[in-house]
């Protein structure tokens, strides 16, 4: 091979190498399609499977592929905390595709769809079903400056598939349910904790008042400047 030819090949190889990583850049964060096998759901990243525990776990048809159904309390899924899961002051989004059985019409009920952190932790992001507004979703965001509940106006208490995304984006926090946005201009400060991610309930010892009775077809948790748009698109298409 001539020196010129070898140089051309080397340049072509270098260009190809520089292009490949961008073309195969992974979506930030992690997601779960909820196809249950032996009590475990695999994650898109391959590092954070969700293990389901409890007496009320079932594998059922989803909107896309399989879904996990919760029929008794306490039943939940747990993904081990990873170092990528804590937003701090970064933007984030938590999304889920779900159905609910009739939502108990009591003010003490808040069915935990998905969360990172518990109420008393220094930081928390939690999507839950709430009854006072006749079956909507709210998101609790807690950080170093305090905590807020953002409550959607969309009724999800009809047994059909719905989507919910809790997010922090551009100086606001919000919840997007079936594409309808409810938001609040507020800075939560840093949002972090050492908890695992959970689906369906908050802990293995929690009761029916915190149980999501219904199906989860898809879930996602992203920490990224584009997290909100990424997860809003995921739940709209990935169900
Ligand atoms: Ca699915």
């Amino acid at each position: 091979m001539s020196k010129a030819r070898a140089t051309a090949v080397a340049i072509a190889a270098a260009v190809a190498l520089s292009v490949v990583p961008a073309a195969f850049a992974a979506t930030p964060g992690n997601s779960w399609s909820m196809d249950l096998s032996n009590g475990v759901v695999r994650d898109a990243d391959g590092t954070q499977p969700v293990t389901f525990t409890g007496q009320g776990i079932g594998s059922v048809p989803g909107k896309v592929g399989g879904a996990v159904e919760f029929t008794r309390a306490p039943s939940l899924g747990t993904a081990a905390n990873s170092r990528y899961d804590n937003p701090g002051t970064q933007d984030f989004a938590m999304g889920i595709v779900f159905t609910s059985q009739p939502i108990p019409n009591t003010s003490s009920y808040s069915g935990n769809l998905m969360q990172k952190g518990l109420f008393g932790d220094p930081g928390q992001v939690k999507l839950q079903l709430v009854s006072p507004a006749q079956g909507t979703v709210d998101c609790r965001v807690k950080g170093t400056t305090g905590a807020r509940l953002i409550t959607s106006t969309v009724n999800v208490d009809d047994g059909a598939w719905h989507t919910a995304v809790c997010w922090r984006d551009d100086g606001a926090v919000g919840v997007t349910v079936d594409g309808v946005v409810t938001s609040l201009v507020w800075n939560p400060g840093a949002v972090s904790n050492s908890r695992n991610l959970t689906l369906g309930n908050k802990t293995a010892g929690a009761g029916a008042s915190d149980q999501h009775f219904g199906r989860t077809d898809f879930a996602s948790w992203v920490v990224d400047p584009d997290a909100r748009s990424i997860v809003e698109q995921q739940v709209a298409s990935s169900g």
Side-chain angles (χ1 to χ4, degrees):
M1 189 182 292
S2 72
K3 185 177 179 186
R5 172 69 179 143
T7 302
V9 169
I11 289 170
V15 167
L17 280 172
S18 70
V19 167
V20 167
F24 289 90
T27 301
N30 211 349
S31 63
W32 296 265
S33 299
M34 295 298 155
D35 296 305
L36 188 65
S37 177
N38 297 319
V40 176
V41 160
R42 306 179 91 161
D43 59 306
D45 190 50
T47 59
Q48 249 183 328
V50 175
T51 300
F52 286 84
T53 54
Q55 298 301 309
I57 304 291
S59 178
V60 293
K63 200 174 169 187
V64 176
V68 174
E69 184 171 42
F70 302 105
T71 58
R72 291 167 63 184
S75 296
L76 76 163
T78 304
N81 179 38
S82 99
R83 64 192 177 93
Y84 304 110
D85 287 343
N86 282 292
T89 57
Q90 301 174 84
D91 287 347
F92 61 77
M94 171 179 285
I96 194 162
V97 178
F98 66 96
T99 69
S100 71
Q101 295 175 14
I103 297 172
N105 189 22
T106 66
S107 59
S108 60
Y109 179 77
S110 56
N112 296 33
L113 292 166
M114 184 173 184
Q115 68 197 89
K116 176 76 171 78
L118 299 178
F119 188 90
D121 289 345
Q124 184 189 40
V125 180
K126 176 175 66 170
L127 275 168
Q128 61 183 5
L129 298 166
V130 286
S131 55
Q134 299 304 309
T136 64
V137 172
D138 72 24
C139 182
R140 185 172 189 264
V141 177
K142 183 181 183 184
T144 50
T145 66
R148 295 288 188 279
L149 274 177
I150 307 103
T151 304
S152 175
T153 58
V154 178
N155 187 301
V156 297
D157 194 16
D158 59 1
W161 290 109
H162 295 279
T163 65
V165 182
C166 178
W167 48 263
R168 175 184 191 170
D169 185 39
D170 283 345
V173 293
V175 63
T176 304
V177 177
D178 296 349
V180 178
V181 176
T182 305
S183 64
L184 173 70
V185 176
W186 176 64
N187 179 354
V191 180
S192 293
N193 60 67
S194 59
R195 304 288 181 180
N196 298 328
L197 283 165
T198 60
L199 294 158
N201 208 325
K202 59 184 182 184
T203 66
S209 64
D210 288 310
Q211 182 69 46
H212 167 212
F213 297 100
R215 299 178 176 192
T216 295
D217 190 26
F218 176 83
S220 182
W221 174 234
V222 177
V223 177
D224 186 84
D226 296 325
R228 177 187 171 188
S229 62
I230 290 168
V231 177
E232 285 181 346
Q233 289 174 40
Q234 283 180 329
V235 298
S237 61
S238 297

